[in-house]
C-alpha cells in the first residue's frame, strides 16, 4: 500500500515539474540552400527551466539518425534559472545526398528545416597572368544565390594592403577584389573564402605577375637571332672574299 502511494506521489510530482521550453534552429526554419563540396553547419537552441537535468536536443535527418556529422554542445545557465542548450552539427564537405529535412528534437518540442544541396562546378581558372603596374581584378566564383560574405587571402594570409579595393557584386559581399598597380611581389595563390548562413566554401587560383618588358622578350629574341644570322652571313662572305684574293 505504501509503495503504491509513493508511486502515485512521484507521478503527481512529475506532472507539476515537467520540463517545458522552446526549441529553434538558429539558421531559420525555412528552405535553406547550399552547394556540394562546401561545409554544412546547423545550430539548435533549446531553452527551458525548472529542472536540474541537462536536456540536450538531437538532430535527425528525414526521421533517421544523423550520421557523418561532428557535434558540439554548450550549456548556459542564466541568473533567473533558465537553461539554454546549444547543439551544433558540422560536416566539412557535403554532397547531394546531404539534402533533406533536418529535425531538431528537444524534450517537449521539435522544429524542422529543409536543406537543399545543389550541384556546383564554379571555380577559378587554374592561374591568371597580369602585367606589372596594371590592375589585378578577381571575382569570387561562389554562386550569387547563396548571398555570401567573402574574405580574401594570399598564400594563406588575409589580404591587407592600401592598394586593395573590395566591392559587392551579384549578391556577394566583398565578392570582387581589385589590387591596383600590381608588383612582381604580388605573385602567389589567391583564395576567396565565401560563407553563408549554413556553409562555407573556398576557391584558390595562382596569380602570375610578368614584368613590363616581358611581352617584348620574344620579339627582342627574334631580332637578336636575325642580327646574329646576318653577322654570320657577312662574316662568311668577307672570309670568302679574302680566300678568293689569296688564291688569285
Amino acid at each position: 500500500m505504501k509503495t503504491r502511494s509513493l508511486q502515485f506521489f512521484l507521478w503527481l510530482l512529475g506532472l507539476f515539474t515537467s520540463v517545458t521550453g522552446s526549441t529553434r534552429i538558429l539558421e531559420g526554419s525555412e528552405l535553406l540552400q547550399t552547394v556540394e563540396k562546401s561545409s554544412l553547419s546547423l545550430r539548435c537552441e533549446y531553452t527551458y527551466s525548472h529542472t536540474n537535468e541537462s536536456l540536450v536536443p538531437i538532430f535527425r535527418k528525414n526521421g533517421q539518425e544523423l550520421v557523418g556529422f561532428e557535434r558540439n554542445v554548450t550549456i548556459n545557465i542564466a541568473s533567473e534559472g533558465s537553461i539554454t542548450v546549444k547543439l551544433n552539427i558540422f560536416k566539412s564537405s557535403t554532397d547531394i545526398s546531404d539534402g533533406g529535412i533536418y529535425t531538431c528534437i528537444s524534450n517537449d518540442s521539435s522544429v524542422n528545416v529543409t536543406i537543399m544541396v545543389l550541384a556546383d562546378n564554379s571555380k577559378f581558372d587554374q592561374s591568371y597572368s597580369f602585367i606589372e603596374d596594371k590592375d589585378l581584378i578577381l571575382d569570387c566564383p561562389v554562386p550569387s544565390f547563396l548571398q555570401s560574405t567573402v574574405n580574401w587571402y594570399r598564400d594563406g594570409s588575409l589580404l591587407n594592403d592600401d592598394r586593395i579595393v573590395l566591392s559587392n557584386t551579384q549578391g556577394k559581399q566583398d565578392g570582387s577584389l581589385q589590387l591596383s598597380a600590381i608588383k612582381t611581389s604580388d605573385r602567389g595563390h589567391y583564395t576567396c573564402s565565401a560563407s553563408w548562413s549554413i556553409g562555407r566554401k573556398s576557391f584558390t587560383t595562382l596569380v602570375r605577375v610578368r614584368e613590363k618588358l616581358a611581352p617584348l622578350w620574344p620579339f627582342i629574341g627574334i631580332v637578336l637571332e636575325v642580327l646574329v644570322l646576318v653577322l654570320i652571313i657577312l662574316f662568311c662572305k668577307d672570309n670568302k672574299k679574302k680566300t678568293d684574293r689569296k688564291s688569285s
Side-chain angles (χ1 to χ4, degrees), residues 69-130:
F69 282 77
E70 299 177 21
R71 292 170 174 79
N72 181 53
V73 177
T74 58
I75 300 175
N76 180 56
I77 301 176
S79 57
E80 69 273 13
S82 65
I83 300 173
T84 299
V85 181
K86 290 182 181 179
L87 169 64
N88 180 68
I89 59 172
F90 175 81
K91 190 172 186 180
S92 59
S93 182
T94 59
D95 54 40
I96 301 298
S97 64
D98 288 313
I101 300 175
Y102 287 72
T103 305
C104 181
I105 304 171
S106 60
N107 181 63
D108 60 337
S109 59
S110 63
V111 61
N112 297 331
V113 63
T114 300
I115 304 295
M116 181 180 293
V117 182
L118 304 175
D120 177 49
N121 296 318
S122 302
K123 61 181 181 179
F124 276 129
D125 288 344
Q126 187 173 2
S127 65
Y128 295 89
S129 293
F130 296 90

Side-chain angles (χ1 to χ4, degrees), residues 126-240:
Q126 187 173 2
S127 65
Y128 295 89
S129 293
F130 296 90
I131 303 297
E132 189 180 16
D133 284 339
K134 299 293 184 180
D135 289 350
L136 178 154
I137 299 176
L138 293 174
D139 289 325
C140 190
V142 62
S144 58
F145 69 85
L146 294 172
Q147 299 295 308
S148 58
T149 299
V150 179
N151 290 313
W152 291 89
Y153 301 84
R154 181 174 62 225
D155 296 330
S157 298
L158 186 66
L159 279 171
N160 184 16
D161 194 303
D162 293 338
R163 297 173 294 141
I164 291 175
V165 175
L166 299 177
S167 56
N168 302 338
T169 175
Q170 298 180 344
K172 294 173 277 190
Q173 183 177 336
D174 295 339
S176 179
L177 166 71
Q178 179 174 337
L179 179 60
S180 60
I182 60 173
K183 310 169 185 176
T184 54
S185 59
D186 292 321
R187 296 186 183 113
H189 289 87
Y190 283 68
T191 299
C192 68
S193 178
S195 59
W196 53 97
S197 61
I198 59 173
R200 178 186 297 271
K201 191 172 184 179
S202 296
F203 306 83
T204 300
T205 186
L206 174 62
V207 169
R208 295 185 170 93
V209 182
R210 295 185 294 171
E211 297 178 354
K212 290 181 182 179
L213 296 178
L216 297 177
W217 288 126
F219 174 75
I220 293 173
I222 293 173
V223 171
L224 289 176
E225 287 180 2
V226 171
L227 287 174
V228 170
L229 184 60
V230 170
L231 289 173
I232 291 173
I233 293 173
L234 291 175
F235 176 79
C236 290
K237 284 185 176 181
D238 184 64
N239 198 37
K240 185 179 179 183

